[in-house]
């Protein structure tokens, strides 16, 4: 398929997995809007690098703090005003903190995780929903996690938040299907260069990799390819699903 006429919005796109997915869609030829919350200089430099590496000049950015409902609404209205359409929304923005859910750890950290990862996703979907439902087309891909399916030690709040994203995906897949809008999720396992394995000591990494059926960590492109598949007409009969990209770990 040709992506030339498609507009893709990726939240949390300033680094790591989000930046990789934005770069992948740009390489396919789509118009890509990078949502960011960090420094303006950082996102401008990333846009320049993506344009240079892909040869695609139709790359832009919008500040989208997913926790700020008014800011989210304003950003999506500006995108629609500028480009006239949004074909794909990738909800990637999220936060995580390590630590067990025990009395000595502050509950505020868990509140932030739950609010950002679940309500942040809902805020973005709400902002784009009228456009997609009216146009009766569109694909929404929520970035979940293996943690939302199996639970992970010292990541209880994060696991709960991603389980919530998976549940949201299932329900919205049914609610939006009659309008021609598909909602799916991708649940990455352990992916290189994303911070996912930072808490695993180097001397334990070899043993950890043995738990993965394929014997190695994934790459950002592995996740990006899965997201692009779910965004494309090749998956036109798939909705409400969570695609696990974990090399057989689960």
């Amino acid at each position: 398929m040709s992506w030339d006429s498609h507009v893709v919005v990726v939240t949390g796109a300033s680094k790591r997995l989000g930046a990789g997915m934005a770069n992948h869609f740009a390489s396919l030829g789509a118009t890509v809007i990078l949502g960011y919350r960090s420094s303006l200089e950082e996102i401008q430099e990333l846009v320049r690098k993506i344009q240079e590496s892909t040869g695609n000049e139709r790359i832009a950015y919008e500040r989208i703090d997913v926790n700020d409902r008014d800011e989210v609404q304003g950003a999506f209205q500006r995108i629609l005003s500028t480009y006239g359409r949004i074909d794909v929304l990738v909800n990637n923005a999220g936060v995580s903190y390590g630590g067990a859910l025990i009395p000595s750890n502050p509950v505020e950290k868990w509140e932030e995780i739950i609010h950002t990862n679940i309500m942040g996703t809902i805020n973005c979907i709400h902002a784009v929903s009228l456009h997609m439902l009216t146009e009766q087309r569109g694909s929404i891909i929520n970035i979940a996690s293996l943690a939302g399916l199996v639970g992970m030690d010292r990541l209880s709040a994060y696991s709960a938040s991603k389980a919530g994203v998976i549940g949201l995906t299932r329900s919205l897949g049914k609610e939006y299907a009659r309008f021609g809008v598909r909602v799916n999720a991708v649940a990455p396992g352990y992916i290189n260069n994303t911070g996912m394995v930072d808490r695993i000591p180097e001397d334990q990494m070899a043993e950890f990799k043995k738990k993965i059926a394929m014997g190695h960590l994934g790459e950002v492109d592995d996740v990006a390819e899965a997201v692009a598949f779910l965004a494309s007409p090749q998956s036109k009969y798939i909705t409400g699903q969570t695609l696990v990209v974990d090399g057989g770990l689960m």
Side-chain angles (χ1 to χ4, degrees), residues 9-246:
V9 178
V10 182
T11 69
S14 63
K15 60 185 68 173
R16 296 178 171 175
L17 187 58
M21 291 187 292
N23 187 83
H24 185 74
F25 277 110
S27 71
L28 295 175
T31 296
V32 186
I33 315 302
L34 283 69
Y36 76 102
R37 194 182 66 171
S38 56
S39 75
L40 177 60
E41 293 78 11
E42 183 178 294
I43 200 70
Q44 288 175 330
E45 176 63 14
L46 177 59
V47 166
R48 186 193 65 77
K49 287 181 178 178
I50 291 176
Q51 290 174 332
E52 187 176 87
S53 66
T54 65
N56 184 346
E57 294 294 321
R58 291 175 290 109
I59 315 299
Y61 55 86
E62 275 284 348
R63 178 175 165 79
I64 305 176
D65 180 351
V66 299
N67 284 313
D68 186 330
R69 188 174 293 111
D70 290 339
E71 182 173 293
V72 171
Q73 291 284 346
F76 279 87
Q77 286 172 8
R78 286 191 296 275
I79 293 168
L80 287 169
S81 177
T82 301
Y83 300 97
R85 60 191 293 161
I86 295 175
D87 301 281
V88 179
L89 167 62
V90 182
N91 284 307
N92 174 67
V95 294
S96 175
Y97 298 105
L101 187 57
I102 55 177
S104 59
N105 284 333
V107 73
E108 288 79 11
K109 290 290 187 183
W110 281 266
E111 288 178 340
E112 181 183 357
I113 292 170
I114 297 295
H115 191 274
T116 301
N117 295 354
I118 298 180
M119 283 309 304
T121 298
I122 290 173
N123 286 340
C124 292
I125 293 173
H126 184 259
V128 79
S129 59
L130 178 60
H131 168 71
M132 286 189 173
L133 298 177
T134 300
E135 294 293 319
Q136 297 198 358
R137 59 175 171 76
S139 180
I140 297 169
I141 299 97
N142 301 320
I143 303 304
S145 170
L146 194 65
L149 292 164
V150 301
M152 291 186 178
D153 180 43
R154 296 177 59 79
L155 287 174
S156 50
Y158 181 74
S159 296
S161 72
K162 292 303 185 177
V165 168
I166 291 168
L168 175 68
T169 299
R170 289 173 179 159
S171 293
L172 285 179
K174 294 181 178 180
E175 292 172 6
Y176 286 5
R178 73 196 73 172
F179 301 100
V181 177
R182 297 184 299 110
V183 185
N184 290 290
V186 169
Y190 287 93
I191 308 298
N192 265 323
N193 302 315
T194 60
M196 294 180 184
V197 294
D198 289 354
R199 67 193 189 105
I200 302 174
E202 189 173 342
D203 60 349
Q204 296 178 18
M205 184 58 70
E207 286 300 313
F208 176 78
K209 288 179 181 177
K210 290 179 182 178
K211 299 178 181 178
I212 301 172
M214 290 186 173
H216 61 84
L217 302 177
E219 302 297 335
V220 169
D221 273 352
D222 297 323
V223 180
E225 289 278 8
V227 170
F229 165 69
L230 290 175
S232 75
Q234 292 174 308
S235 61
K236 65 182 184 300
Y237 199 56
I238 300 174
T239 195
Q241 302 303 309
T242 297
L243 177 57
V244 179
V245 183
D246 71 345

